Every structure is written in C-alpha cells, then in structure tokens.
Amino acid sequence: MKGALVVISGPSGTGKGTVISSLLNSDPNAMLSVSCTTRAMRPGEVDGVHYFFITDEKFSEMIQQEAFLEYADVFGMNRYGTPRAFVEEKTEEGRDVYLDIDVVGAMNVKKAMDEALLIFLMPPSFEELERRLRGRGTETEEQIQKRLGTAKGEMAYADKYDYTVVNDDIDACVEQIKTIISQYKASRR
Ligand code: ADP
Ligand code: 5GP
C-alpha cells in the first residue's frame, strides 16, 4: 500500500521538530522529507539532514524545473521548499513521509495531493510558545519577534487542517498523533 503523506504545521517553537523526531524514532517505516532552504545554517545543523541549504539562485532554478512539490516564503525572509521526487518515490515504496512545513505550503500540498493528512500542532498558550522559542536559543531577538508576530496569523489556519493537536505534554501529544495516523491508514484500506 502507498505510504501516507503527513503534513505537520504550527508556529515556530511549538515543538514540531521534537514531536517528529519522537514519531520517527518509534516507527522505522516513517521518514522525514528534507526541505531546501535559503536561510543560514544554525549551529548544530547538518546540510542534507536538517535541510539542503541552497542559494537563492539555485532555489529559483529548482522552481523553474518544477522540482518542488510546494514552496513558500516563510517570515518574509527566506524561501523553503519540499523536493517533489523524494516524497513521490518514498510514498510509492510504502513509506510514510512527514513534512514539517508552514501553513501556505500545507495548503498547496493539499491542493496537489488531496490524500495528504494535515495536522496542526498548537502550543498550549502564546506565553508558552514564547518561552519555548526563547528557551531553544537558536534565534536572535529580531528573529524571535518575527516568528511570534507570524504565529497568530498561522494559528488562524488551524481549522483548515484535518486535525489540531495541542503539544502540552510531549508524550501525550505524540500518542495522539500516532492514533490519528493509524486511524487514517485504516480508513484508506
Ligand atoms: P519547532 O520545530 O516547532 O520550531 P522545536 O521542536 O524546536 O519547535 O521545539 C521548540 C523548543 O520547545 C525546544 O527547545 C523543545 O525542546 C521544546 N519543546 C518541544 N515540545 C515541548 C513540550 N511538549 N513541552 C516543553 N517543551 C517542549
Ligand atoms: P526553521 O527556520 O525554524 O527551520 O523553519 C521555519 C518554518 O519553515 C517552519 O514553520 C517550517 O514548518 C517551515 N518550513 C520548513 N521547510 C519548509 C518547506 O519545505 N516548505 C514550507 N512551505 N515551509 C517549510
């Protein structure tokens, strides 16, 4: 059977990366799609693992070649895109593929692939979102403000998703997502 394409979105700092790591660790059949981005690499990030870090010119070239399943400008600063070939190959092989992408990208994936499962990850509160974003310590103050400024607009998209899950307790959140995915797969049989 074809694998599931699972899109996870939510404001920066909600815990998407943390939740997806946990899902991947518990399911060898699942894979994360590695996006291309024009943003600078953060300390600890590895090219080809966290993202393919590419130039603006290369990004434009890939758009021309229709190499992206979707792409978007996120925070009005950098471009991010999902390489099409990986997603198509892996889901055809029966692997479940996760996409950690923004709300604009998610809406475009749904248009391109109606069978995609869209899950919106919500922080328990705006204050907690700010705490997590600061606690991560990977952005400058300006970048944090930009991300928090974008968060409310992003949360307005939640009702366009198939499911909304609150990431309060991490283990409970991961369990909830696992249940959603297995019910979704069972319904497709
Ligand atoms: P995102 O990928 O959505 O930007 P991250 O996965 O990087 O978010 O998480 C942001 C920060 O919040 C990290 O420091 C992470 O350890 C922390 N975090 C994630 N989930 C939880 C949770 N359920 N409770 C408390 N802290 C969390
Ligand atoms: P970060 O810079 O923190 O890694 O990611 C910032 C935002 O970009 C997150 O909201 C993430 O979901 C989004 N993002 C990452 N990759 C892609 C992608 O390929 N396409 C789209 N549309 N958004 C992405």
Side-chain angles (χ1 to χ4, degrees):
M1 190 170 84
K2 203 176 163 192
L5 182 60
V6 183
V7 176
I8 308 232
S9 307
S12 181
T14 306
K16 300 179 296 295
T18 310
V19 165
I20 292 172
S21 291
S22 174
L23 289 164
L24 291 174
N25 282 337
S26 66
D27 182 3
N29 188 52
M31 302 187 79
L32 177 65
S33 160
V34 179
S35 296
C36 294
T37 183
T38 60
R39 84 151 158 74
M41 209 187 283
R42 289 182 196 140
E45 283 184 329
V46 179
D47 189 32
V49 175
H50 298 91
Y51 286 102
F52 294 105
F53 294 92
I54 64 174
T55 61
D56 228 29
E57 292 70 42
K58 174 75 182 166
F59 201 99
S60 300
E61 207 179 292
M62 288 179 71
I63 295 174
Q64 289 274 307
Q65 293 164 343
E66 299 187 3
F68 291 124
L69 175 62
E70 64 73 36
Y71 62 90
D73 272 322
V74 184
F75 315 124
M77 293 206 285
N78 296 116
R79 295 195 284 175
Y80 295 78
T82 306
R84 180 193 298 278
F86 181 89
V87 170
E88 289 178 350
E89 275 165 31
K90 297 300 170 190
T91 52
E92 282 302 331
E93 286 169 16
R95 309 287 296 263
D96 292 339
V97 177
Y98 292 106
L99 302 184
D100 170 351
I101 63 174
D102 87 316
V103 292
V104 176
M107 296 302 111
N108 287 332
V109 167
K110 193 73 181 177
K111 265 187 233 151
M113 295 176 99
D114 189 47
E115 72 273 23
L117 174 63
L118 267 54
I119 300 177
F120 194 89
L121 203 61
M122 201 55 110
S125 66
F126 198 76
E127 291 67 33
E128 175 62 13
L129 177 68
E130 184 163 359
R131 222 175 352 257
R132 287 183 191 173
L133 204 46
R134 283 187 199 290
R136 187 168 69 187
T138 49
E139 278 79 27
T140 63
E141 184 55 31
E142 189 196 350
Q143 288 166 333
I144 289 173
Q145 289 308 329
K146 197 131 206 165
R147 284 167 188 243
L148 289 173
T150 312
K152 287 196 172 129
E154 289 171 322
M155 288 194 253
Y157 276 82
D159 64 359
K160 299 191 192 311
Y161 282 64
D162 297 311
Y163 294 90
T164 298
V165 176
V166 178
N167 179 21
D168 192 352
D169 176 76
I170 181 77
D171 295 333
C173 173
V174 167
E175 281 312 311
Q176 216 179 323
I177 294 178
K178 280 187 192 166
T179 304
I180 289 169
I181 296 172
S182 49
Q183 283 174 351
Y184 164 78
K185 290 179 76 170
S187 76
R188 286 194 318 166
R189 280 205 190 100

